[in-house]
Amino acid sequence: MKELGDALLRRESFAELVMGNTAIARGMVEAGTKVVTSYPGSPTPEIAAAISAIDHERRPFHFEFCVNEKVAVEVAYGAAVSGLPSAVFFKSVGLNVASDTFVQLNHMDIPGGMVVIVGDDPGAHSSQNEQDNRHLARMSYTPVLEPGSPSEAYRFYLEAASLAKRNRMAVMLRLTTHVCHGKERVSFAGLSDTPPVEAEVFRGDGGSHIPIGVMVAKMKKRALERLASAGEFAGERGLHRLVNSGNPRRGVITAGLPFYSLLDAVSRSEEKPDILKLAMVNPVDRSLVADFLRKHEEVLVLEELDDFMEQAVKAAAFQERIDVIIRGKEATEDWIGEHTPGRVRGILHRIWPDMTVLPPEPAVSHEAPPRFPQMCPGCGHRSAFHAIGKALRENDVTVADIGCHTLGFLPPYRIGRLLMSMGASTGIAQGISLAGGKGTAVAFLGDSTFFHAGIPGVVNGLFNRHRFALIVMDNGTTAMTGHQDHPGSGRNFNGPSERIPIRQVLEGLGVTDIAEVDTYSQSALTEAVRKALEAPGCSVVIAKHPCMLKFTREQRRKPGFVPRHVEIDQGKCTLIRECMEEFGCPSFTRDQGGDKVMVNPDLCIGDGSCIQTCPSKAIAPEQRKEGSR
Ligand SMILES: Cc1ncc(C[n+]2csc(CCOP(=O)(O)OP(=O)(O)O)c2C)c(N)n1
């Protein structure tokens, strides 16, 4: 960590093998960014991990995780309107949460400039959809730079920051999962001695920052002018790339990661298409595109997800009256997933079968057996689901939310029939309760999500007097995205902070029926949930247990740490297998013959949450043998 922190601050130029996300953190240092904010979400949290490698006192900018993406954009904007260059980063669907503020940004005058880094997720590796945020950028007059590699992520961040400052606007840096997580040897420039940026306390001038009435039209006009000027920027800075193979027949217009997949696909072709790789994908540089179209008989627009560039390319051809065949999504039928090299080969085979590209995705000879994602051994959520399942009745409807506890929908628990987006469970449960079923609608919320977007749903339930039960799955951290702190943890990114207890928030809102139970106390939790299901209005159970992955990692770092396990007394085991089949801890396995239940010591953390699940009392803490540690 120390080495990484030192590298990120190194004054001289250097080259290092890094992830795209790490390269961006160095870009922030080089660009003189002063305020950076975020809410965690894959594929971007490693930007924060890199920032955390720089000691707080030496960090040249302020960083904070905010309570959600909207607030993160607002904090960054407040700094940038005061003259401080700022940046904000989050995952694809984070832009939905931020959008009320985000769509407004480029109506505003932003002297410091702002970079909005969005991690889109073609392939939905870690998101509930594949949304293509170029649309939201277009809707909000936001220029978009799209890198395709870690080196480009670094370079384009610097360019985005400089454009944002020059045009006093917000610029989007659109990343995708493997640009964030891919590694490459990146050449970093040295740090220049730029004069320190002085913040000016923002005063405004009585109207020019207030989008009301006639001001809106003026602001929109300015946004359009700034966007047009941004559209020329990538060309002026030489960011677009033309790979000219002298092929008058075929060309490809592409951007981002698909460009590299394309290079791979045609690496051994005799006939290679000419390639125009756009660095700025909104707005598309019409004259550059038109020029390329004029030089080819047929042009493929190769892009992941939606036909965003394709529409712009077709519009350019139409307006400039260019006689060219444009192949896009109709031909490729490729609206879903990532443009991996194999996928791009497949596309080329389909549309240009005579071109000798590498064979499409090689057939996989032996598929890995399907395996469900699992909660970790010792996870408090498992213990909670095991206990809650005993309280639920046939007609109760459970609504899941986003986090590690989403996995409760899987067998053996099967709790959570519906999943939408962060914090949506409470409102959905209230709507479901309006259908008047015989059971109770039960919403689940993680603790980070409670603060992020959960509170308004609870308020609505109270305000509109809905009957629903809420179970807050409180593990003290934002577990799913890598254990970031949240307002209930008593720490923020930079040190200790006042803990905001969920119970007190609920009490403050007027919830009177609240039970707080450690999830390892399974019968107490079952009882608390039973009562909540019978309650007449809004009742809440806070099902608490610290995240055991975080806890165990911390323990392992301590000197003298001794691993603990449970063991099975084979004499007592009656093979009911509740530990495996209903509790579902992955530490339990069968022996070779398939009869005996065994404990896998590589997985078991000795938490003992399983002990109470065994009706035969066959599970116990492992007895240490003489001489063992
Ligand atoms: C709008 C949005 N922002 C960020 C994320 C990424 N994300 C997935 S789950 C999650 C929160 C998990 O924390 P918590 O609610 O405490 O549940 P836990 O994983 O700890 O069980 C986040 C931030 C997302 N899915 N949607």
Side-chain angles (χ1 to χ4, degrees):
M1 276 307 245
K2 166 120 183 36
E3 278 164 32
L4 175 60
D6 289 346
L8 292 173
L9 295 182
R10 199 172 297 165
R11 293 208 62 79
E12 323 77 61
S13 57
F14 67 104
E16 188 78 52
L17 181 72
V18 289
M19 243 194 234
N21 282 339
T22 311
I24 287 174
R26 167 70 185 191
M28 289 167 172
V29 175
E30 282 183 31
T33 307
K34 290 292 164 212
V35 172
V36 181
T37 61
S38 179
Y39 182 74
S42 193
T44 59
E46 297 83 3
I47 302 176
I51 293 171
S52 74
I54 309 173
D55 292 339
H56 190 207
E57 308 75 56
R58 297 171 71 206
R59 204 175 293 151
F61 51 79
H62 171 83
F63 175 74
E64 67 184 45
F65 273 123
C66 297
V67 72
N68 66 27
E69 292 85 351
K70 181 170 182 287
V71 178
V73 169
E74 288 152 1
V75 174
Y77 165 71
V81 81
S82 312
L84 296 175
S86 77
V88 55
F89 61 90
F90 42 73
K91 75 182 275 113
S92 57
V93 292
L95 194 57
N96 304 336
V97 176
S99 62
D100 203 18
T101 300
F102 171 76
V103 294
Q104 200 61 32
L105 282 180
N106 276 331
H107 278 64
M108 315 305 276
D109 182 43
I110 312 178
M114 215 179 137
V115 183
V116 180
I117 304 168
V118 179
D120 271 4
D121 190 11
H125 296 282
S126 54
S127 316
Q128 67 264 35
N129 68 32
E130 287 197 306
Q131 75 184 54
D132 187 333
N133 278 317
R134 295 175 299 177
H135 295 294
L136 260 163
R138 187 172 146 81
M139 190 177 112
S140 57
Y141 317 115
T142 306
V144 182
L145 283 169
E146 181 163 333
S149 67
S151 292
E152 285 181 3
Y154 156 71
R155 162 108 198 260
F156 287 14
Y157 178 84
L158 293 175
E159 298 290 351
S162 122
L163 171 62
K165 175 101 182 126
R166 186 193 85 175
N167 280 17
R168 300 166 71 101
M169 71 190 309
V171 175
M172 183 187 283
L173 185 70
R174 179 179 183 253
L175 310 173
T176 53
T177 299
H178 285 105
V179 175
C180 291
H181 293 162
K183 279 192 169 178
E184 188 185 12
R185 194 172 160 79
V186 179
S187 296
F188 296 106
L191 301 185
S192 55
D193 287 317
T194 44
V197 183
E198 291 303 332
E200 285 174 29
V201 176
F202 175 74
R203 293 189 193 285
D205 52 7
S208 67
H209 292 267
I210 312 281
I212 285 185
V214 286
M215 277 310 293
V216 174
K218 284 191 188 157
M219 289 171 143
K220 181 168 170 182
K221 185 164 176 288
R222 184 178 62 198
L224 288 165
E225 286 162 4
R226 286 180 176 176
L227 179 69
S229 122
E232 289 154 19
F233 177 85
E236 290 159 15
R237 300 282 306 152
L239 301 181
H240 301 303
R241 263 176 86 174
L242 182 65
V243 182
N244 196 343
S245 306
N247 187 339
R249 215 156 64 106
R250 287 168 172 166
V252 181
I253 298 177
T254 188
L257 188 81
F259 167 73
Y260 292 98
S261 297
L262 175 65
L263 287 188
D264 176 84
V266 300
S267 56
R268 288 196 228 145
S269 310
E270 271 165 38
E271 181 195 354
K272 293 192 202 295
D274 292 342
I275 306 171
L276 173 61
K277 174 183 181 288
L278 296 176
M280 185 170 282
V281 296
N282 185 56
V284 167
D285 186 330
R286 176 168 292 174
S287 70
L288 182 70
V289 165
D291 208 35
F292 188 79
L293 292 176
R294 273 190 208 99
K295 292 181 181 141
H296 298 92
E297 289 168 27
E298 193 175 343
V299 169
L300 165 69
V301 184
L302 184 72
E303 61 190 320
E304 279 164 340
L305 305 183
D306 297 344
D307 54 352
F308 187 87
M309 292 193 299
E310 181 184 336
Q311 298 293 343
V313 169
K314 284 179 171 167
F318 180 78
Q319 290 215 312
E320 306 280 331
R321 295 167 194 273
I322 304 168
D323 184 15
V324 57
I325 298 168
I326 297 172
R327 314 290 301 270
K329 295 284 169 185
E330 282 155 26
T332 62
E333 292 175 1
D334 212 47
W335 300 82
I336 301 170
E338 274 187 308
H339 275 19
T340 56
R343 178 77 75 86
V344 170
R345 288 180 218 158
I347 291 173
L348 294 181
H349 269 277
R350 268 203 307 284
I351 65 161
W352 291 329
D354 60 315
M355 206 161 91
T356 49
V357 294
L358 288 173
E361 204 98 68
V364 181
S365 52
H366 32 264
E367 295 242 335
R371 218 170 60 110
F372 280 126
Q374 293 247 3
M375 284 177 263
C376 308
C379 177
H381 294 339
R382 170 179 297 102
S383 202
F385 285 122
H386 189 61
I388 294 165
K390 296 198 162 143
L392 288 170
R393 301 148 314 176
E394 205 191 333
N395 292 319
D396 297 324
V397 184
T398 49
V399 185
D401 209 277
I402 303 214
C404 291
H405 51 90
T406 309
L407 298 175
F409 88 94
L410 290 168
Y413 324 103
R414 295 194 165 88
I415 297 176
R417 299 289 166 93
L418 200 147
L419 177 72
M420 181 76 87
S421 57
M422 278 185 79
S425 62
T426 43
I428 295 171
Q430 292 157 28
I432 285 175
S433 75
L434 293 177
K438 288 198 190 112
T440 302
V442 188
F444 287 80
L445 270 185
D447 44 348
S448 186
T449 307
F450 176 82
F451 293 104
H452 171 277
I455 295 172
V458 180
V459 174
N460 188 68
L462 296 167
F463 174 49
N464 288 307
R465 312 189 80 176
H466 285 289
R467 177 165 181 262
F468 72 107
L470 168 64
I471 301 181
V472 181
M473 305 289 275
D474 183 357
N475 55 9
T477 186
T478 316
M480 180 137 221
T481 46
H483 301 130
Q484 295 83 3
D485 291 311
H486 62 61
S489 336
R491 281 190 70 79
N492 63 29
F493 190 82
N494 300 309
S497 77
E498 208 61 52
R499 193 170 86 82
I500 303 176
I502 292 176
R503 184 182 191 119
Q504 279 180 25
V505 175
L506 291 165
E507 284 169 351
L509 295 177
V511 182
T512 49
D513 190 353
I514 307 171
E516 217 168 338
V517 187
D518 189 296
T519 70
Y520 277 18
S521 304
Q522 290 175 9
S523 36
L525 181 56
T526 306
E527 205 37 50
V529 174
R530 265 195 196 121
K531 272 171 76 185
L533 295 175
E534 296 294 347
C538 162
S539 58
V540 182
V541 177
I542 303 174
K544 285 174 87 126
H545 198 84
C547 169
M548 293 306 280
L549 179 63
K550 183 165 185 260
F551 176 80
T552 316
R553 273 189 192 155
E554 286 163 2
Q555 296 302 310
R556 281 198 180 122
R557 284 193 204 112
K558 292 187 180 159
F561 166 76
V562 181
R564 295 179 309 159
H565 306 117
V566 295
E567 63 186 358
I568 293 178
D569 182 338
Q570 299 295 344
K572 286 189 185 167
C573 177
T574 48
L575 295 177
I576 296 171
R577 296 202 184 95
E578 176 155 341
C579 56
M580 293 183 88
E581 286 161 17
E582 287 175 46
F583 187 61
C585 179
S587 310
F588 294 108
T589 53
R590 289 164 195 251
D591 72 340
Q592 292 274 331
D595 285 340
K596 283 193 200 159
V597 179
M598 313 288 284
V599 175
N600 179 344
D602 293 333
L603 291 178
C604 178
I605 60 164
D607 54 281
S609 58
C610 51
I611 292 175
Q612 60 205 298
T613 67
C614 180
S616 315
K617 310 235 174 307
I619 310 174
E622 187 185 44
Q623 298 298 314
R624 299 209 171 277
K625 297 180 188 71
E626 205 60 27
S628 70
R629 293 189 63 212

